[in-house]
């Protein structure tokens, strides 16, 4: 079904100025929150450089602990999004951030695998509703034609968390390597990176609005213009089988998108959790140097993500802006495996893989938000995200297990590259038959 243009209320200049103001009001704070969300989720990749030796954990224990986070995440994603819809984004986002920031900080007290597993599981449960909740939240502020660049701006927090977090984490590990005040470097890292999330959770209560209808900084005319744009979006969507949770569970479109997202996330988490270790295996031992080298792929990914999001909106094209980055992710992983003995080429491969895999994330989400009705989106987006996040359990555990068995990550990275290719083929087919053409946004 073609996407009809929004009603002609106000000039394009007025409309663009309004959405620019909304972007500047919402995105910077949400960006910072997501930056710490992602940093708290994946900083175990750097903690691993010291934590395993200090606690005598095997690679399999680490992989299971890194991945078990996503069991809690998957189990709580749908109920958490329903709670956000019931109690409002402002309060629920604040509560989630305070909870996961506290739990992530408590990882510094871990001494046994069981404690490691338990805290990672609970942290995943606490974080579960944040990302799908923000996707839902933004879909109620911005019409579909503007969501490509908005999602790219929001999700550029992922490469920025790597760009800033990698050298910062490396510096913490090196600076506190000898231990200070009874804490080792990896313990200081959890403390220094976890507490700011709690503070941001408190700020969320004061800085977020539950929706454009309740935003005191918008005029009545501005609210009407947003409502008209969003209504035009809703009118253009194809009919769904229903908005109930059961109807969403029975909708094959949800599961198709869930599988595509699973394939994208398989590559993303392979990179996020193992990038420092892969670089270390190239012969680099200094944690700070590993941090700076890890930042290179994230820097390039951040730039590519923003450019790709803008291109997708300007060209009114979603399909190839998703599939091409996915294929880049697979090719980059294969380059990193086959040229591991040549650090320059291997890091180039990791950079291409990171650019592709991370850019696939924001290019993916405008598709389900464009197709799902407002009621179906509450449960549907959470379910898609939960299915995709299962890769967060499978990917690090698979890599850790295979490395313990073979002494190398090569076979696991080959398997993940193949999965990404399969996902790109499914995306090509699904978007050819199901994806409506978005409206033009200047």
């Amino acid at each position: 079904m073609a996407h009809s243009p929004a009603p002609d209320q106000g000039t394009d200049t007025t409309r663009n100025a309004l959405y620019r103001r909304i972007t500047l009001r919402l995105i910077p704070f949400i960006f910072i929150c997501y930056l710490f969300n992602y940093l708290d989720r994946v900083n175990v990749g750097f903690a691993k450089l010291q934590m395993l030796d200090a606690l005598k954990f095997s690679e399999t224990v680490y992989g299971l602990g890194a991945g078990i986070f996503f069991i809690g995440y998957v189990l709580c994603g749908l109920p958490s999004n329903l709670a956000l819809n019931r109690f409002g984004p402002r309060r629920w986002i604040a509560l989630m951030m305070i909870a996961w920031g506290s739990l992530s900080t408590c990882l510094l007290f871990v001494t046994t695998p069981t404690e490691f597993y338990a805290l990672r599981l609970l942290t995943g449960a606490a974080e579960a509703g944040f990302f799908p909740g923000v996707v839902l939240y933004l879909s109620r502020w911005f019409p579909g034609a503007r969501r490509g660049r908005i999602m790219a701006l929001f999700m550029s927090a992922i490469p920025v968390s790597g760009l800033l977090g990698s050298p910062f984490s490396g510096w913490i590990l090196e600076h506190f390597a000898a231990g200070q005040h009874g804490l080792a470097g990896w313990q200081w890292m959890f403390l220094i990176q976890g507490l700011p999330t709690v503070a941001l959770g408190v700020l969320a209560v004061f800085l977020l609005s539950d929706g454009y209808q309740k935003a005191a900084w918008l005029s009545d005319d501005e609210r009407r213009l947003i409502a008209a744009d969003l209504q035009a979006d809703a009118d253009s969507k194809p009919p769904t089988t229903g908005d109930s949770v059961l109807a969403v569970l029975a909708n094959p479109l949800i599961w198709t998108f869930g599988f595509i997202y699973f394939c994208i996330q398989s590559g993303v988490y392979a990179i996020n959790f193992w990038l420092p270790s892969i670089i270390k295996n190239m012969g680099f031992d200094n944690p700070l140097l590993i941090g700076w080298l890890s930042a290179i792929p994230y820097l390039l990914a951040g730039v590519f993500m923003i450019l790709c999001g803008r291109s997708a909106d300007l060209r009114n094209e979603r399909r190839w802006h998703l599939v091409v980055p996915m294929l880049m992710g697979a090719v980059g992983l294969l380059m990193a495996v086959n040229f591991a003995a040549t650090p320059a080429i291997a890091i180039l491969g990791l950079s291409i893989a990171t650019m592709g895999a991370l850019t696939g994330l924001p290019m993916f989400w405008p598709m389900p938000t464009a197709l799902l009705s407002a009621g179906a989106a509450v449960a549907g987006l959470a379910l898609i995200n939960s299915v995709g996040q299962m890769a967060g359990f499978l990917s690090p555990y698979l890599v850790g297990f295979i490395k313990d068995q073979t002494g190398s990550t090569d076979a696991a990275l080959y398997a993940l590259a193949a999965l990404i290719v399969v996902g790109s083929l499914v995306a090509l087919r699904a978007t050819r038959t199901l994806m409506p053409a978005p409206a033009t946004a200047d």
Side-chain angles (χ1 to χ4, degrees), residues 98-403:
I98 292 169
W100 95 59
S102 301
L103 289 164
S104 182
T105 303
C106 286
L107 281 167
L108 70 91
F109 300 114
V110 162
T111 58
T112 68
T114 300
E115 293 170 352
F116 183 43
Y117 300 153
L119 275 174
R120 288 288 293 174
L121 181 71
L122 292 173
T123 305
E127 286 190 26
F130 179 78
F131 178 78
V134 171
V135 173
L136 180 66
Y137 182 63
L138 294 177
S139 73
R140 294 177 176 178
W141 284 88
F142 296 94
R146 298 177 185 268
R147 284 181 203 147
R149 71 191 75 177
I150 291 301
M151 288 303 299
L153 285 172
F154 162 53
M155 297 191 73
S156 64
I158 299 176
V160 171
S161 72
L163 174 64
L164 301 180
S166 294
F168 184 47
S169 297
W171 176 83
I172 293 172
L173 293 180
E174 183 180 58
H175 183 74
F176 294 100
Q180 294 187 25
H181 304 288
L183 298 179
W186 63 271
Q187 292 173 306
W188 276 107
M189 191 185 70
F190 286 128
L191 178 66
I192 293 171
Q193 295 179 356
L195 289 181
T197 301
V198 178
L200 287 168
V202 175
L203 286 175
V205 177
F206 303 99
L207 296 181
L208 292 181
S209 304
D210 276 328
Y212 71 88
Q213 304 93 329
K214 298 182 180 180
W217 43 275
L218 291 175
S219 68
D220 289 341
D221 286 343
E222 289 171 332
R223 293 191 191 95
R224 282 192 288 270
L225 192 151
I226 296 169
D229 284 354
L230 294 178
Q231 185 59 51
D233 262 4
D235 292 343
S236 73
K237 292 177 180 179
T240 59
T241 56
D243 292 347
S244 69
V245 174
L246 288 177
V248 167
L249 290 172
N251 187 341
L253 180 62
I254 300 291
W255 296 102
T256 300
F257 278 128
F259 175 75
I260 296 169
Y261 196 53
F262 176 88
C263 295
I264 298 171
Q265 289 284 29
S266 293
V268 169
Y269 284 117
I271 293 165
N272 285 336
F273 285 118
W274 290 92
L275 181 59
S277 296
I278 292 171
I279 292 176
K280 182 179 180 181
N281 290 339
M282 294 177 189
F284 301 99
D285 294 322
N286 183 279
L288 183 58
L289 178 59
I290 293 173
W292 282 112
L293 291 174
S294 298
I296 294 173
Y298 289 114
L299 172 63
L300 297 175
V303 174
F304 185 65
M305 185 182 287
I306 298 297
L307 293 176
C308 197
R310 180 169 178 79
S311 173
D313 281 354
L314 291 177
R315 289 170 173 76
N316 300 327
E317 203 286 322
R318 304 292 179 196
R319 191 177 181 222
W320 290 104
H321 281 82
L322 170 64
V323 172
V324 170
M326 289 180 69
L327 293 175
M328 285 175 59
V331 170
L333 286 177
L334 293 177
M335 283 181 62
V337 171
N338 287 286
F339 293 94
T342 309
I345 299 179
I347 291 175
L348 174 62
L350 288 172
S351 297
I352 293 172
T354 306
M355 291 165 65
L358 294 188
T359 299
L361 297 175
M363 293 303 95
F364 169 82
W365 284 105
M367 295 195 299
T369 57
L371 287 172
L372 298 176
S373 66
V378 175
L381 295 180
L383 184 57
I384 291 168
N385 187 56
S386 293
V387 172
Q389 294 297 348
M390 291 179 186
F393 173 77
L394 172 66
S395 184
Y397 181 69
L398 176 68
V399 176
F401 176 77
I402 290 178
K403 185 176 181 183

Side-chain angles (χ1 to χ4, degrees), residues 26-36 153-158 160:
L26 297 181
I27 297 302
F29 179 71
I30 293 175
F31 172 93
I32 293 171
C33 291
Y34 192 45
L35 189 154
F36 277 94
L153 285 172
F154 162 53
M155 297 191 73
S156 64
I158 299 176
V160 171

